[in-house]
Short mmCIF file of all heavy atoms in Angstrom, two decimals:
data_model
loop_
_atom_site.label_atom_id
_atom_site.label_comp_id
_atom_site.label_asym_id
_atom_site.label_seq_id
_atom_site.Cartn_x
_atom_site.Cartn_y
_atom_site.Cartn_z
N MET A 30 0.83 -1.20 0.00
CA MET A 30 0.00 0.00 0.00
C MET A 30 0.87 1.26 0.00
O MET A 30 0.54 2.23 -0.65
CB MET A 30 -0.91 -0.05 1.23
CG MET A 30 -1.96 1.01 1.25
SD MET A 30 -3.15 0.67 -0.04
CE MET A 30 -4.35 1.87 0.32
N PHE A 31 1.97 1.19 0.75
CA PHE A 31 2.85 2.34 0.82
C PHE A 31 3.48 2.65 -0.54
O PHE A 31 3.59 3.82 -0.93
CB PHE A 31 3.94 2.06 1.87
CG PHE A 31 4.88 3.21 2.07
CD1 PHE A 31 4.46 4.37 2.69
CD2 PHE A 31 6.19 3.13 1.63
CE1 PHE A 31 5.32 5.44 2.88
CE2 PHE A 31 7.07 4.18 1.81
CZ PHE A 31 6.63 5.34 2.43
N GLU A 32 3.86 1.60 -1.28
CA GLU A 32 4.45 1.80 -2.60
C GLU A 32 3.44 2.43 -3.56
O GLU A 32 3.79 3.24 -4.42
CB GLU A 32 4.95 0.48 -3.17
CG GLU A 32 6.15 -0.10 -2.47
CD GLU A 32 5.76 -0.93 -1.25
OE1 GLU A 32 4.56 -1.19 -1.08
OE2 GLU A 32 6.65 -1.27 -0.47
N TYR A 33 2.19 2.04 -3.41
CA TYR A 33 1.13 2.59 -4.26
C TYR A 33 0.99 4.09 -4.02
O TYR A 33 0.85 4.88 -4.96
CB TYR A 33 -0.19 1.87 -3.98
CG TYR A 33 -1.36 2.44 -4.75
CD1 TYR A 33 -1.47 2.24 -6.12
CD2 TYR A 33 -2.35 3.17 -4.10
CE1 TYR A 33 -2.53 2.77 -6.83
CE2 TYR A 33 -3.41 3.70 -4.80
CZ TYR A 33 -3.50 3.49 -6.16
OH TYR A 33 -4.54 4.02 -6.86
N GLU A 34 1.02 4.51 -2.76
CA GLU A 34 0.92 5.93 -2.44
C GLU A 34 2.13 6.70 -2.99
O GLU A 34 1.98 7.80 -3.52
CB GLU A 34 0.82 6.13 -0.93
CG GLU A 34 -0.46 5.60 -0.32
CD GLU A 34 -1.68 6.33 -0.83
OE1 GLU A 34 -1.59 7.56 -1.07
OE2 GLU A 34 -2.72 5.68 -1.00
N LEU A 35 3.32 6.11 -2.86
CA LEU A 35 4.51 6.75 -3.42
C LEU A 35 4.40 6.87 -4.94
O LEU A 35 4.79 7.89 -5.52
CB LEU A 35 5.77 5.96 -3.06
CG LEU A 35 6.26 6.08 -1.62
CD1 LEU A 35 7.47 5.18 -1.41
CD2 LEU A 35 6.60 7.51 -1.28
N GLN A 36 3.87 5.86 -5.59
CA GLN A 36 3.69 5.90 -7.03
C GLN A 36 2.71 6.99 -7.43
O GLN A 36 2.92 7.70 -8.41
CB GLN A 36 3.21 4.53 -7.54
CG GLN A 36 2.97 4.48 -9.03
CD GLN A 36 4.20 4.78 -9.85
OE1 GLN A 36 5.32 4.50 -9.44
NE2 GLN A 36 4.00 5.37 -11.00
N LYS A 37 1.63 7.15 -6.68
CA LYS A 37 0.65 8.21 -6.97
C LYS A 37 1.28 9.59 -6.80
O LYS A 37 1.05 10.48 -7.62
CB LYS A 37 -0.57 8.06 -6.05
CG LYS A 37 -1.50 6.95 -6.47
CD LYS A 37 -2.68 6.83 -5.54
CE LYS A 37 -3.53 8.08 -5.59
NZ LYS A 37 -4.77 7.95 -4.80
N ILE A 38 2.09 9.75 -5.74
CA ILE A 38 2.75 11.04 -5.52
C ILE A 38 3.73 11.32 -6.65
O ILE A 38 3.79 12.44 -7.17
CB ILE A 38 3.46 11.04 -4.14
CG1 ILE A 38 2.44 11.01 -3.02
CG2 ILE A 38 4.39 12.24 -4.02
CD1 ILE A 38 3.04 10.77 -1.65
N ASN A 39 4.49 10.31 -7.05
CA ASN A 39 5.45 10.47 -8.14
C ASN A 39 4.75 10.81 -9.46
O ASN A 39 5.20 11.69 -10.20
CB ASN A 39 6.29 9.20 -8.29
CG ASN A 39 7.45 9.38 -9.22
OD1 ASN A 39 7.92 10.50 -9.41
ND2 ASN A 39 7.91 8.30 -9.81
N ALA A 40 3.67 10.13 -9.73
CA ALA A 40 2.92 10.39 -10.96
C ALA A 40 2.35 11.81 -10.96
O ALA A 40 2.39 12.51 -11.99
CB ALA A 40 1.80 9.37 -11.12
N ALA A 41 1.83 12.25 -9.82
CA ALA A 41 1.30 13.61 -9.73
C ALA A 41 2.40 14.65 -9.93
O ALA A 41 2.19 15.67 -10.59
CB ALA A 41 0.63 13.82 -8.36
N GLU A 42 3.58 14.38 -9.40
CA GLU A 42 4.71 15.29 -9.59
C GLU A 42 5.14 15.36 -11.05
O GLU A 42 5.42 16.44 -11.58
CB GLU A 42 5.89 14.84 -8.70
CG GLU A 42 7.14 15.66 -8.87
CD GLU A 42 7.01 17.08 -8.37
OE1 GLU A 42 6.08 17.36 -7.58
OE2 GLU A 42 7.82 17.92 -8.79
N LEU A 43 5.18 14.22 -11.71
CA LEU A 43 5.54 14.20 -13.13
C LEU A 43 4.51 14.95 -13.97
O LEU A 43 4.88 15.68 -14.90
CB LEU A 43 5.68 12.76 -13.62
CG LEU A 43 6.90 12.00 -13.10
CD1 LEU A 43 6.85 10.55 -13.57
CD2 LEU A 43 8.18 12.66 -13.56
N ILE A 44 3.25 14.79 -13.65
CA ILE A 44 2.19 15.51 -14.38
C ILE A 44 2.33 17.01 -14.16
O ILE A 44 2.20 17.81 -15.09
CB ILE A 44 0.80 15.00 -13.94
CG1 ILE A 44 0.60 13.57 -14.46
CG2 ILE A 44 -0.30 15.92 -14.43
CD1 ILE A 44 -0.63 12.89 -13.92
N ARG A 45 2.62 17.41 -12.92
CA ARG A 45 2.80 18.83 -12.62
C ARG A 45 3.99 19.41 -13.38
O ARG A 45 3.91 20.49 -13.96
CB ARG A 45 3.01 19.02 -11.11
CG ARG A 45 3.05 20.48 -10.68
CD ARG A 45 3.48 20.62 -9.23
NE ARG A 45 4.86 20.19 -9.01
CZ ARG A 45 5.94 20.91 -9.33
NH1 ARG A 45 5.80 22.08 -9.91
NH2 ARG A 45 7.15 20.45 -9.10
N ARG A 46 5.10 18.68 -13.42
CA ARG A 46 6.28 19.14 -14.16
C ARG A 46 5.99 19.26 -15.66
O ARG A 46 6.41 20.23 -16.31
CB ARG A 46 7.44 18.19 -13.96
CG ARG A 46 8.13 18.32 -12.64
CD ARG A 46 9.35 17.43 -12.61
NE ARG A 46 9.94 17.39 -11.28
CZ ARG A 46 10.99 16.65 -10.99
NH1 ARG A 46 11.56 15.90 -11.92
NH2 ARG A 46 11.48 16.66 -9.78
N ALA A 47 5.29 18.28 -16.20
CA ALA A 47 4.97 18.32 -17.62
C ALA A 47 4.08 19.51 -17.94
O ALA A 47 4.27 20.18 -18.97
CB ALA A 47 4.28 17.02 -18.03
N GLU A 48 3.12 19.80 -17.09
CA GLU A 48 2.24 20.94 -17.31
C GLU A 48 3.02 22.25 -17.23
O GLU A 48 2.80 23.16 -18.03
CB GLU A 48 1.12 20.94 -16.27
CG GLU A 48 0.14 22.07 -16.43
CD GLU A 48 -0.60 22.06 -17.75
OE1 GLU A 48 -0.83 20.96 -18.29
OE2 GLU A 48 -0.95 23.14 -18.25
N GLN A 49 3.95 22.34 -16.29
CA GLN A 49 4.77 23.53 -16.17
C GLN A 49 5.65 23.73 -17.41
O GLN A 49 5.75 24.84 -17.94
CB GLN A 49 5.64 23.44 -14.92
CG GLN A 49 6.44 24.70 -14.65
CD GLN A 49 7.26 24.57 -13.38
OE1 GLN A 49 7.47 23.48 -12.87
NE2 GLN A 49 7.75 25.68 -12.88
N GLN A 50 6.25 22.67 -17.90
CA GLN A 50 7.08 22.76 -19.10
C GLN A 50 6.24 23.12 -20.32
O GLN A 50 6.68 23.90 -21.18
CB GLN A 50 7.82 21.45 -19.33
CG GLN A 50 8.91 21.20 -18.32
CD GLN A 50 9.57 19.84 -18.51
OE1 GLN A 50 9.13 19.03 -19.32
NE2 GLN A 50 10.63 19.59 -17.75
N ARG A 51 5.04 22.60 -20.40
CA ARG A 51 4.15 22.93 -21.50
C ARG A 51 3.77 24.40 -21.47
O ARG A 51 3.76 25.08 -22.51
CB ARG A 51 2.88 22.05 -21.41
CG ARG A 51 2.02 22.09 -22.63
CD ARG A 51 0.83 21.14 -22.52
NE ARG A 51 1.24 19.77 -22.22
CZ ARG A 51 0.93 19.11 -21.11
NH1 ARG A 51 0.18 19.67 -20.18
NH2 ARG A 51 1.34 17.88 -20.91
N LEU A 52 3.51 24.92 -20.27
CA LEU A 52 3.18 26.33 -20.14
C LEU A 52 4.35 27.21 -20.54
O LEU A 52 4.17 28.21 -21.26
CB LEU A 52 2.76 26.62 -18.69
CG LEU A 52 2.35 28.05 -18.38
CD1 LEU A 52 1.13 28.45 -19.19
CD2 LEU A 52 2.07 28.19 -16.89
N VAL A 53 5.55 26.86 -20.13
CA VAL A 53 6.74 27.63 -20.50
C VAL A 53 6.92 27.62 -22.02
O VAL A 53 7.21 28.65 -22.63
CB VAL A 53 7.99 27.07 -19.79
CG1 VAL A 53 9.26 27.65 -20.37
CG2 VAL A 53 7.92 27.35 -18.30
N ARG A 54 6.73 26.46 -22.63
CA ARG A 54 6.87 26.35 -24.09
C ARG A 54 5.83 27.21 -24.80
O ARG A 54 6.14 27.90 -25.78
CB ARG A 54 6.74 24.89 -24.50
CG ARG A 54 7.03 24.63 -25.94
CD ARG A 54 7.13 23.16 -26.29
NE ARG A 54 6.07 22.35 -25.70
CZ ARG A 54 6.25 21.40 -24.78
NH1 ARG A 54 7.45 21.12 -24.34
NH2 ARG A 54 5.24 20.72 -24.30
N GLU A 55 4.60 27.24 -24.29
CA GLU A 55 3.55 28.06 -24.90
C GLU A 55 3.88 29.55 -24.77
O GLU A 55 3.66 30.33 -25.71
CB GLU A 55 2.20 27.76 -24.26
CG GLU A 55 1.63 26.42 -24.63
CD GLU A 55 0.35 26.10 -23.87
OE1 GLU A 55 -0.13 26.96 -23.11
OE2 GLU A 55 -0.16 24.99 -24.05
N ILE A 56 4.41 29.95 -23.62
CA ILE A 56 4.77 31.35 -23.42
C ILE A 56 5.90 31.75 -24.36
O ILE A 56 5.85 32.82 -24.98
CB ILE A 56 5.17 31.60 -21.95
CG1 ILE A 56 3.94 31.50 -21.05
CG2 ILE A 56 5.84 32.95 -21.77
CD1 ILE A 56 4.25 31.50 -19.58
N ARG A 57 6.90 30.90 -24.49
CA ARG A 57 8.01 31.20 -25.41
C ARG A 57 7.52 31.32 -26.85
O ARG A 57 7.92 32.22 -27.58
CB ARG A 57 9.07 30.11 -25.32
CG ARG A 57 9.91 30.18 -24.10
CD ARG A 57 10.96 29.09 -24.10
NE ARG A 57 11.78 29.14 -22.90
CZ ARG A 57 12.56 28.18 -22.50
NH1 ARG A 57 12.68 27.07 -23.21
NH2 ARG A 57 13.26 28.29 -21.40
N THR A 58 6.64 30.42 -27.24
CA THR A 58 6.09 30.47 -28.60
C THR A 58 5.29 31.75 -28.82
O THR A 58 5.42 32.40 -29.87
CB THR A 58 5.21 29.24 -28.86
OG1 THR A 58 5.98 28.06 -28.64
CG2 THR A 58 4.67 29.23 -30.27
N ALA A 59 4.49 32.13 -27.84
CA ALA A 59 3.69 33.35 -27.96
C ALA A 59 4.59 34.58 -28.06
O ALA A 59 4.33 35.48 -28.87
CB ALA A 59 2.74 33.48 -26.79
N ARG A 60 5.63 34.63 -27.25
CA ARG A 60 6.57 35.76 -27.32
C ARG A 60 7.27 35.82 -28.66
O ARG A 60 7.44 36.90 -29.24
CB ARG A 60 7.60 35.67 -26.20
CG ARG A 60 7.05 35.99 -24.84
CD ARG A 60 8.12 35.90 -23.79
NE ARG A 60 7.60 36.20 -22.48
CZ ARG A 60 8.28 36.03 -21.36
NH1 ARG A 60 9.51 35.57 -21.41
NH2 ARG A 60 7.74 36.32 -20.20
N ARG A 61 7.69 34.66 -29.15
CA ARG A 61 8.37 34.61 -30.44
C ARG A 61 7.44 35.10 -31.55
O ARG A 61 7.85 35.88 -32.43
CB ARG A 61 8.83 33.18 -30.72
CG ARG A 61 9.69 33.05 -31.96
CD ARG A 61 10.16 31.62 -32.18
NE ARG A 61 10.81 31.05 -31.00
CZ ARG A 61 10.40 29.95 -30.38
NH1 ARG A 61 9.35 29.29 -30.81
NH2 ARG A 61 11.04 29.49 -29.33
N GLN A 62 6.19 34.66 -31.53
CA GLN A 62 5.24 35.10 -32.54
C GLN A 62 4.97 36.59 -32.44
O GLN A 62 4.82 37.27 -33.46
CB GLN A 62 3.94 34.31 -32.41
CG GLN A 62 4.07 32.88 -32.83
CD GLN A 62 2.80 32.08 -32.57
OE1 GLN A 62 1.89 32.53 -31.89
NE2 GLN A 62 2.76 30.87 -33.10
N ALA A 63 4.91 37.12 -31.22
CA ALA A 63 4.69 38.55 -31.04
C ALA A 63 5.87 39.35 -31.59
O ALA A 63 5.68 40.40 -32.23
CB ALA A 63 4.48 38.87 -29.57
N ARG A 64 7.09 38.87 -31.34
CA ARG A 64 8.26 39.57 -31.89
C ARG A 64 8.25 39.55 -33.41
O ARG A 64 8.55 40.55 -34.06
CB ARG A 64 9.55 38.93 -31.37
CG ARG A 64 9.92 39.34 -29.98
CD ARG A 64 11.36 38.97 -29.65
NE ARG A 64 11.66 37.57 -29.89
CZ ARG A 64 11.62 36.60 -28.97
NH1 ARG A 64 11.28 36.89 -27.74
NH2 ARG A 64 11.94 35.36 -29.27
N ARG A 65 7.92 38.41 -33.98
CA ARG A 65 7.89 38.31 -35.45
C ARG A 65 6.82 39.21 -36.03
O ARG A 65 7.04 39.87 -37.05
CB ARG A 65 7.65 36.87 -35.88
CG ARG A 65 8.85 35.99 -35.66
CD ARG A 65 8.58 34.57 -36.07
NE ARG A 65 9.75 33.73 -35.84
CZ ARG A 65 9.74 32.43 -35.87
NH1 ARG A 65 8.62 31.78 -36.15
NH2 ARG A 65 10.84 31.75 -35.65
N ALA A 66 5.66 39.27 -35.39
CA ALA A 66 4.59 40.14 -35.88
C ALA A 66 4.99 41.61 -35.76
O ALA A 66 4.72 42.41 -36.66
CB ALA A 66 3.31 39.87 -35.10
N ALA A 67 5.65 41.96 -34.67
CA ALA A 67 6.09 43.35 -34.49
C ALA A 67 7.15 43.71 -35.51
O ALA A 67 7.19 44.84 -36.00
CB ALA A 67 6.62 43.55 -33.07
N ARG A 68 8.01 42.76 -35.82
CA ARG A 68 9.05 43.01 -36.81
C ARG A 68 8.44 43.26 -38.19
O ARG A 68 8.91 44.10 -38.94
CB ARG A 68 10.00 41.82 -36.86
CG ARG A 68 11.32 42.13 -37.48
CD ARG A 68 12.27 40.95 -37.46
NE ARG A 68 12.24 40.20 -36.22
CZ ARG A 68 12.38 38.88 -36.14
NH1 ARG A 68 12.58 38.17 -37.23
NH2 ARG A 68 12.35 38.26 -34.98
N LYS A 69 7.39 42.55 -38.52
CA LYS A 69 6.74 42.73 -39.82
C LYS A 69 5.95 44.03 -39.87
O LYS A 69 5.82 44.64 -40.93
CB LYS A 69 5.80 41.56 -40.10
CG LYS A 69 6.52 40.28 -40.42
CD LYS A 69 5.53 39.17 -40.72
CE LYS A 69 6.26 37.87 -40.99
NZ LYS A 69 5.32 36.78 -41.23
N ASP A 70 5.42 44.49 -38.74
CA ASP A 70 4.57 45.67 -38.72
C ASP A 70 5.33 46.98 -38.74
O ASP A 70 4.80 48.00 -39.16
CB ASP A 70 3.66 45.65 -37.49
CG ASP A 70 2.58 44.59 -37.60
OD1 ASP A 70 2.33 44.12 -38.73
OD2 ASP A 70 2.00 44.22 -36.56
N ARG A 71 6.58 46.96 -38.27
CA ARG A 71 7.29 48.23 -38.22
C ARG A 71 7.68 48.68 -39.62
O ARG A 71 7.73 47.91 -40.56
CB ARG A 71 8.49 48.15 -37.31
CG ARG A 71 9.55 47.20 -37.74
CD ARG A 71 10.65 47.15 -36.72
NE ARG A 71 11.64 46.17 -37.12
CZ ARG A 71 12.64 45.80 -36.37
NH1 ARG A 71 12.77 46.31 -35.18
NH2 ARG A 71 13.50 44.91 -36.81
N GLU A 72 7.96 49.95 -39.74
CA GLU A 72 8.18 50.55 -41.06
C GLU A 72 9.49 50.16 -41.70
O GLU A 72 9.62 50.19 -42.90
CB GLU A 72 8.10 52.06 -40.93
CG GLU A 72 6.72 52.56 -40.56
CD GLU A 72 6.67 54.05 -40.43
OE1 GLU A 72 7.66 54.72 -40.78
OE2 GLU A 72 5.65 54.55 -39.98
N GLY A 73 10.48 49.86 -40.92
CA GLY A 73 11.76 49.50 -41.49
C GLY A 73 12.79 50.60 -41.31
O GLY A 73 12.49 51.69 -40.83
N ARG A 74 13.99 50.33 -41.74
CA ARG A 74 15.07 51.29 -41.59
C ARG A 74 14.93 52.45 -42.55
O ARG A 74 14.57 52.29 -43.70
CB ARG A 74 16.40 50.62 -41.85
CG ARG A 74 16.90 49.84 -40.71
CD ARG A 74 18.34 49.55 -40.91
NE ARG A 74 18.86 49.06 -39.65
CZ ARG A 74 20.00 48.49 -39.50
NH1 ARG A 74 20.78 48.33 -40.54
NH2 ARG A 74 20.39 48.07 -38.34
N VAL A 75 15.27 53.61 -42.04
CA VAL A 75 15.29 54.80 -42.89
C VAL A 75 16.60 54.84 -43.66
O VAL A 75 16.65 55.14 -44.83
CB VAL A 75 15.12 56.07 -42.03
CG1 VAL A 75 15.26 57.31 -42.89
CG2 VAL A 75 13.78 56.05 -41.35
N SER A 76 17.69 54.52 -42.98
CA SER A 76 18.98 54.51 -43.64
C SER A 76 19.82 53.39 -43.05
O SER A 76 19.59 52.94 -41.94
CB SER A 76 19.70 55.85 -43.47
OG SER A 76 20.00 56.04 -42.10
N THR A 77 20.80 52.99 -43.81
CA THR A 77 21.74 51.99 -43.33
C THR A 77 23.07 52.66 -43.07
O THR A 77 23.23 53.86 -43.32
CB THR A 77 21.92 50.87 -44.38
OG1 THR A 77 22.45 51.43 -45.56
CG2 THR A 77 20.61 50.18 -44.68
N ARG A 78 24.03 51.91 -42.60
CA ARG A 78 25.35 52.49 -42.34
C ARG A 78 25.96 53.06 -43.61
O ARG A 78 26.64 54.07 -43.60
CB ARG A 78 26.29 51.43 -41.78
CG ARG A 78 26.08 51.15 -40.36
CD ARG A 78 27.14 50.26 -39.78
NE ARG A 78 27.90 49.51 -40.77
CZ ARG A 78 28.65 48.48 -40.50
NH1 ARG A 78 28.74 48.05 -39.28
NH2 ARG A 78 29.32 47.84 -41.44
N HIS A 79 25.72 52.44 -44.73
CA HIS A 79 26.34 52.87 -45.98
C HIS A 79 25.68 54.12 -46.55
O HIS A 79 26.30 54.84 -47.34
CB HIS A 79 26.26 51.73 -47.01
CG HIS A 79 26.93 50.48 -46.55
ND1 HIS A 79 28.29 50.37 -46.38
CD2 HIS A 79 26.43 49.29 -46.17
CE1 HIS A 79 28.60 49.18 -45.95
NE2 HIS A 79 27.48 48.49 -45.80
N ASP A 80 24.45 54.41 -46.16
CA ASP A 80 23.74 55.56 -46.72
C ASP A 80 23.91 56.83 -45.91
O ASP A 80 23.43 57.88 -46.30
CB ASP A 80 22.24 55.25 -46.80
CG ASP A 80 21.94 54.12 -47.77
OD1 ASP A 80 22.77 53.88 -48.67
OD2 ASP A 80 20.89 53.47 -47.62
N ARG A 81 24.59 56.78 -44.80
CA ARG A 81 24.66 57.94 -43.92
C ARG A 81 25.52 59.07 -44.49
O ARG A 81 25.22 60.24 -44.27
CB ARG A 81 25.19 57.54 -42.56
CG ARG A 81 24.20 56.75 -41.78
CD ARG A 81 24.65 56.53 -40.38
NE ARG A 81 23.70 55.66 -39.70
CZ ARG A 81 23.92 55.10 -38.54
NH1 ARG A 81 25.04 55.34 -37.91
NH2 ARG A 81 23.01 54.32 -38.00
N PHE A 82 26.57 58.75 -45.18
CA PHE A 82 27.50 59.77 -45.66
C PHE A 82 27.56 59.70 -47.19
O PHE A 82 27.52 58.65 -47.78
CB PHE A 82 28.90 59.55 -45.08
CG PHE A 82 28.92 59.58 -43.59
CD1 PHE A 82 29.02 58.41 -42.87
CD2 PHE A 82 28.82 60.77 -42.91
CE1 PHE A 82 29.03 58.42 -41.48
CE2 PHE A 82 28.83 60.81 -41.51
CZ PHE A 82 28.93 59.64 -40.80
N ALA A 83 27.67 60.88 -47.77
CA ALA A 83 27.80 60.95 -49.22
C ALA A 83 29.19 60.48 -49.62
O ALA A 83 30.17 60.59 -48.86
CB ALA A 83 27.59 62.39 -49.69
N ARG A 84 29.31 59.94 -50.80
CA ARG A 84 30.60 59.47 -51.28
C ARG A 84 31.48 60.65 -51.64
O ARG A 84 31.03 61.67 -52.14
CB ARG A 84 30.42 58.60 -52.51
CG ARG A 84 29.78 57.29 -52.20
CD ARG A 84 29.80 56.40 -53.38
NE ARG A 84 29.31 55.08 -53.01
CZ ARG A 84 29.33 54.05 -53.79
NH1 ARG A 84 29.83 54.15 -55.01
NH2 ARG A 84 28.88 52.89 -53.38
N ALA A 85 32.75 60.47 -51.40
CA ALA A 85 33.71 61.52 -51.74
C ALA A 85 33.96 61.48 -53.23
O ALA A 85 33.90 60.45 -53.87
CB ALA A 85 35.00 61.31 -50.98
N ALA A 86 34.25 62.65 -53.78
CA ALA A 86 34.48 62.75 -55.21
C ALA A 86 35.77 62.10 -55.65
O ALA A 86 36.65 61.81 -54.95
CB ALA A 86 34.50 64.22 -55.64
#
């Protein structure tokens, strides 16, 4: 009976860890998608390093 209780506790702990890891993975995915969407929505660069100065004659 004691082993059965230990097994139930261990199984509950594994389920809790799996749920926590799943939540972390979902948060990371959501953040990544938000960054990608923000990157697509912004206007873009006005100038690059090469465009800042006029070429010398």
Side-chain angles (χ1 to χ4, degrees):
M30 189 69 173
F31 183 70
E32 291 85 10
Y33 176 71
E34 293 296 325
L35 286 177
Q36 179 61 31
K37 283 179 64 174
I38 292 170
N39 190 25
E42 177 67 19
L43 289 175
I44 290 171
R45 186 189 66 77
R46 283 186 188 178
E48 181 62 31
Q49 185 179 16
Q50 290 176 353
R51 192 176 306 116
L52 181 62
V53 168
R54 187 170 45 245
E55 288 175 4
I56 290 171
R57 285 181 180 166
T58 303
R60 287 181 180 171
R61 187 178 307 122
Q62 288 175 349
R64 281 195 307 265
R65 287 179 181 167
R68 199 177 320 144
K69 288 181 182 178
D70 289 342
R71 64 183 177 188
E72 294 179 8
R74 280 196 167 167
V75 175
S76 65
T77 62
R78 282 189 341 196
H79 301 292
D80 295 337
R81 288 188 185 169
F82 301 104
R84 290 188 174 187

